[in-house]
Amino acid sequence: MHTYPKLAVGPVLYYWSRETLLAFYEEMADSPADIIYLGETVCAKRKLLRTADWLVLAKELASTGKEIVLSSLALLEADSELQTLRRLCENGDFLVEANDMAAVDLLSGQPFIAGLGINIYNHRTLNYLAKLGLRRWILPVELSRETLASLHTQRPTEVETEVLVYGRLPLAYSARCFTARAHNLPKDDCQYRCLDYPDGLTLFSQDQQPFLTLNGIQTQSAYYYNLLSVIPELTRLSIDVLRISPDSRHTKLVIETFYQSLRNHTKIEVEIKNLQRLSPLGSCNGYWFGQTGMTFLKS
Amino acid sequence: MELVCPAGNLPSLKAAVDNGANAVYLGFRDDTNARHFAGLNFDLAKMQQGIRYAHEHQVKVFLAINTYPQPQGWPRWQAAVDQAANLEVDALIIADVGVLDYATEHYPDLPRHLSVQGSATNYQAIHFYYQHFGIRRVVLPRVLSLSQVKHLILHSPVAIEVFGFGSLCVMVEGRCLLSSYVTGDSPNTFGACSPAKAVEWRETPHGLETRLGGVLIDRRGAGETAGYPTLCKGRFQVGSHTYYAMEEPTSLNTLEILPQLQAAGITAIKIEGRQRSPAYVAQVTRIWRAALDALQTNPTAFRPAAAWLAELEQISEGTQTTLGAYHRPWQ
């Protein structure tokens, strides 16, 4: 029997209203995704869903048969943020995705997942974290297929490999909130302006090239990373999990597209064009080919 | 507090030692360190000379092996650690878990510091590196406010080093991929941000344009000085405004809060700038030595001398300085 990579919905990186988030996850429960990552990973001030709410949502979604993972914050500075992290790590029911070494420290000795905030660039790092309980790692987005192939084929047996295949690339975190700055507000009085930008705030160069996306303290690419064209390669490598990073509009359609394309490679060319229509600012895949991240190459 | 100064080459190392550094930090001439610039850094012979010179003057030497090796490059990082162990450096500055693990296993007695590229911004992350690799010191990313630094020190199991002066990273170090997104090379993978080979200067009817990897980073009108196009310090358009959307060209300067840093329990102050000239290193080291000595003599009466501030501003990026994240309103 042929097994396909599992599909995962990454954590929502933007700040959405409670209603929007709950409606989104209702839709995800109904999608062909196998795994759903839940939780706030960008900004501790985003509290329309609190830890207790995320845990309730996790239980509800788990009852639909999805594998649920609780994602944690990437940039931890204040003690209150560490306290929230401890609560997540001690939840007792769900696997936790670490996005900072603080989480790895707290999760050592129990099974855990390393997210995009953890730098796993070589075998020795992967092996070390596996000894501490790592069960799944995700390829850092700036690394190429060569590095992926090497790390994946020689990974410890109990460890799964995940690859981000669709969505804006998370590129940086800062102490400074760039969304607040865009409104001439200090971070401490940000007035939750992120709520006005369900897909982030696009930053253009002065000659109007879409360049980056401001998402609070996080900076993302403006272009959508899209690895649909390399599905045959991902399949050949037997990558365990493919991650789709959500946006507010087309996530379910994107998941369905990947689901179908995994099972029928002949339609990939058409589907690439369809997906490109969903990301009018542009697509990129350069990192996969070991090149500049923002370029788009035809494979 | 210990004054830790940059040494991009032997003349800079001597300039730092001669002007009052307590320690210098340096790297090999390749991508194993985060200042991998053409013509910079040390081959083995020069490094031996430098270490001898520093040690003769009771100045410590820290060797940065602080980028992230990938499988195909791993032997180079391993060789760097092996070489360092034979050089009698006083500590290695490392970021990657794999490199830390290798150094700890093979050279347990060689002290290890966690590089700023290790991206540890809280005491729980520091605890991880302390417990697993016995690190003795952490260099903090430039993302914490002064009160957060104080709190962290109360709970940190190891000594804390912070950046005092020099180029300001706006993003948390070790997890910023902006440079590879635009140029293919990042601090993590290549040891450089916004590398010179990707830079273009173009005179146009709109003004002098600076581009990085083809992306327009800034456009300068007549009378404006054009700085190096570090990509987080360009002018971009967001909504209907064109402005420094991330940060202005500016340098970090913490002279003003030196007494608070000392009171907080900071062990060492780091000066950024291995890519700068020996004259720059001499000047900055001399001022910071004077400041630390003045603080030592009379901590309560310490005020940074106007002359020091003026001199530092002159040699800063954009000829202006900031307290960065230490000062909460900056955030």
Side-chain angles (χ1 to χ4, degrees):
Chain A
M1 196 186 80
H2 191 72
T3 56
Y4 299 102
K6 288 178 272 186
L7 290 175
V9 184
V12 170
L13 302 177
Y14 309 105
Y15 195 28
W16 295 349
S17 72
R18 189 185 169 90
E19 296 67 39
T20 309
L21 262 180
L22 296 180
F24 174 79
Y25 284 115
E26 217 167 284
E27 215 188 344
M28 291 305 104
D30 197 33
S31 78
D34 305 282
I35 303 166
I36 299 179
Y37 288 85
L38 289 180
E40 179 56 49
T41 60
V42 174
C43 177
K45 291 181 72 179
R46 298 173 174 179
K47 284 181 177 160
L48 286 175
L49 257 66
R50 292 172 174 270
T51 308
D53 302 320
W54 285 113
L55 287 167
V56 169
L57 181 61
K59 288 200 174 109
E60 280 171 24
L61 286 168
S63 70
T64 68
K66 307 289 189 197
E67 180 193 326
I68 304 300
V69 180
L70 300 176
S71 292
S72 56
L73 205 63
L75 176 55
L76 292 140
E77 296 162 324
D79 226 15
S80 53
E81 292 156 13
L82 285 174
Q83 279 162 21
T84 303
L85 180 67
R86 286 188 194 109
R87 246 190 107 191
L88 278 183
C89 294
E90 291 162 2
N91 81 85
D93 288 319
F94 302 102
L95 277 172
V96 175
E97 179 196 57
N99 280 308
D100 183 85
M101 293 310 278
V104 174
D105 194 47
L106 293 168
L107 293 164
S108 290
Q110 56 174 300
F112 68 94
I113 291 170
L116 289 171
I118 303 295
N119 286 340
I120 298 175
Y121 280 59
N122 54 64
H123 293 291
R124 196 151 183 142
T125 300
L126 188 57
N127 292 338
Y128 196 89
L129 297 182
K131 279 186 285 177
L132 302 181
L134 181 73
R135 286 297 169 269
R136 186 186 304 148
W137 72 291
I138 186 161
L139 180 74
V141 296
E142 69 170 342
L143 300 185
S144 69
R145 59 181 173 188
E146 277 78 25
T147 296
L148 171 69
S150 172
L151 290 175
H152 177 65
T153 51
Q154 296 170 57
R155 73 194 183 284
T157 46
E158 68 280 14
V159 174
E160 288 185 327
T161 300
E162 180 167 340
V163 175
L164 176 72
V165 294
Y166 189 85
R168 294 223 183 85
L169 293 163
L171 296 174
Y173 300 89
S174 175
R176 177 173 266 182
C177 176
F178 302 112
T179 305
R181 180 174 170 85
H183 290 278
N184 275 314
L185 295 167
K187 184 166 78 172
D188 288 339
D189 180 29
C190 70
Q191 298 174 18
Y192 302 101
R193 288 303 174 103
C194 286
L195 280 170
D196 298 336
Y197 305 102
D199 291 301
L201 180 54
T202 307
L203 175 153
F204 295 84
S205 65
Q206 287 184 55
D207 54 0
Q208 272 68 55
Q209 179 179 17
F211 181 30
L212 299 170
T213 302
L214 305 178
N215 175 36
I217 62 137
Q218 184 186 52
T219 307
Q220 308 174 336
S221 61
Y223 298 156
Y224 277 72
Y225 195 54
N226 185 347
L227 292 188
L228 191 67
S229 65
V230 302
I231 274 200
E233 208 173 339
L234 290 161
T235 309
R236 249 194 327 275
L237 280 168
S238 302
I239 300 302
D240 303 288
V241 180
L242 306 182
R243 174 180 297 201
I244 285 128
S245 189
D247 69 14
S248 70
R249 297 165 306 151
H250 306 296
T251 303
K252 192 174 174 202
L253 180 59
V254 173
I255 296 167
E256 285 163 354
T257 303
F258 273 87
Y259 183 86
Q260 295 301 338
S261 301
L262 280 167
R263 285 154 182 82
N264 181 0
H265 294 186
T266 59
K267 282 192 173 161
I268 287 176
E269 284 303 315
V270 181
E271 295 294 357
I272 290 171
K273 292 205 171 64
N274 289 338
L275 282 191
Q276 279 174 335
R277 272 196 284 276
L278 304 184
S279 40
L281 291 181
S283 305
C284 63
N285 61 10
Y287 278 140
W288 175 259
F289 298 99
Q291 302 200 19
T292 300
M294 69 190 295
T295 53
F296 186 77
L297 289 101
K298 294 206 167 110
S299 46
Chain B
M1 288 182 286
E2 190 178 87
L3 181 61
V4 184
C5 294
N9 54 33
L10 195 54
S12 287
L13 182 145
K14 288 181 174 169
V17 169
D18 296 348
N19 284 281
N22 301 111
V24 293
Y25 63 102
L26 38 69
F28 286 118
R29 191 165 273 189
D30 62 14
D31 52 359
T32 60
N33 79 95
R35 286 293 180 278
H36 175 212
F37 297 173
L40 208 65
N41 294 319
F42 293 74
D43 60 26
L44 204 52
K46 282 281 191 309
M47 199 174 280
Q48 283 164 333
Q49 275 183 55
I51 292 167
R52 206 176 313 126
Y53 188 83
H55 284 172
E56 279 167 9
H57 294 79
Q58 285 76 51
V59 170
K60 289 186 253 184
V61 179
F62 304 148
L63 177 60
I65 305 175
N66 59 345
T67 44
Y68 288 83
Q70 293 171 59
Q72 54 277 30
W74 175 265
R76 213 157 47 251
W77 275 255
Q78 191 169 308
V81 174
D82 293 338
Q83 281 191 349
N86 294 321
L87 279 169
E88 296 183 7
V89 294
D90 297 279
L92 299 182
I93 308 171
I94 304 176
D96 176 61
V97 165
V99 177
L100 277 165
D101 182 39
Y102 179 81
T104 309
E105 182 182 323
H106 291 267
Y107 309 102
D109 297 331
L110 181 56
R112 292 167 293 281
H113 295 178
L114 185 70
S115 169
V116 69
Q117 295 299 122
S119 213
T121 60
N122 58 78
Y123 62 81
Q124 195 78 53
I126 294 171
H127 180 264
F128 175 86
Y129 293 101
Y130 170 66
Q131 196 190 9
H132 291 274
F133 309 117
I135 54 157
R136 304 225 184 142
R137 183 185 292 190
V138 173
V139 186
L140 290 186
R142 283 157 276 194
V143 293
L144 299 179
S145 67
L146 187 57
S147 68
Q148 286 169 340
V149 172
K150 281 185 200 161
H151 187 76
L152 180 146
I153 289 173
L154 289 179
H155 296 272
S156 169
V158 304
I160 302 294
E161 178 172 318
V162 296
F163 278 91
F165 183 78
S167 265
L168 175 68
C169 271
V170 182
M171 308 300 179
V172 60
E173 295 90 335
R175 287 185 274 179
C176 179
L177 316 180
L178 290 172
S179 182
S180 64
Y181 182 65
V182 181
T183 73
D185 294 328
S186 76
N188 284 2
T189 56
F190 181 76
C193 169
S194 310
K197 67 175 185 202
V199 171
E200 269 176 89
W201 307 78
R202 216 182 275 169
E203 200 65 68
T204 76
H206 307 293
L208 178 64
E209 292 185 350
T210 49
R211 285 175 187 269
L212 189 74
V215 176
L216 181 57
I217 300 298
D218 208 350
R219 195 179 260 164
R220 306 285 170 149
E224 287 186 299
T225 36
Y228 189 88
T230 305
L231 70 91
C232 60
K233 291 171 182 163
R235 269 181 293 197
F236 302 102
Q237 196 180 317
V238 181
S240 55
H241 300 287
T242 300
Y243 65 109
Y244 293 107
M246 288 170 274
E247 176 58 309
E248 296 165 29
T250 183
S251 289
L252 176 74
N253 184 8
T254 62
L255 265 191
E256 207 184 297
I257 56 165
L258 212 49
Q260 289 100 305
L261 291 175
Q262 174 156 280
I266 297 287
T267 297
I269 298 272
K270 179 166 226 148
I271 307 296
E272 186 277 344
R274 282 194 280 144
Q275 72 284 12
R276 306 296 292 258
S277 69
Y280 174 94
V281 172
Q283 196 176 2
V284 177
T285 305
R286 178 173 48 72
I287 293 171
W288 276 80
R289 177 78 273 150
L292 285 168
D293 288 349
L295 181 70
Q296 204 58 41
T297 312
N298 193 348
T300 48
F302 177 84
R303 294 278 179 287
W308 300 339
L309 294 173
E311 218 179 313
L312 290 177
E313 223 150 79
Q314 273 309 309
I315 52 175
S316 290
E317 207 179 336
T319 59
Q320 56 180 341
T321 62
T322 173
L323 277 170
Y326 290 114
H327 184 51
R328 189 81 194 180
W330 178 91
Q331 302 191 9

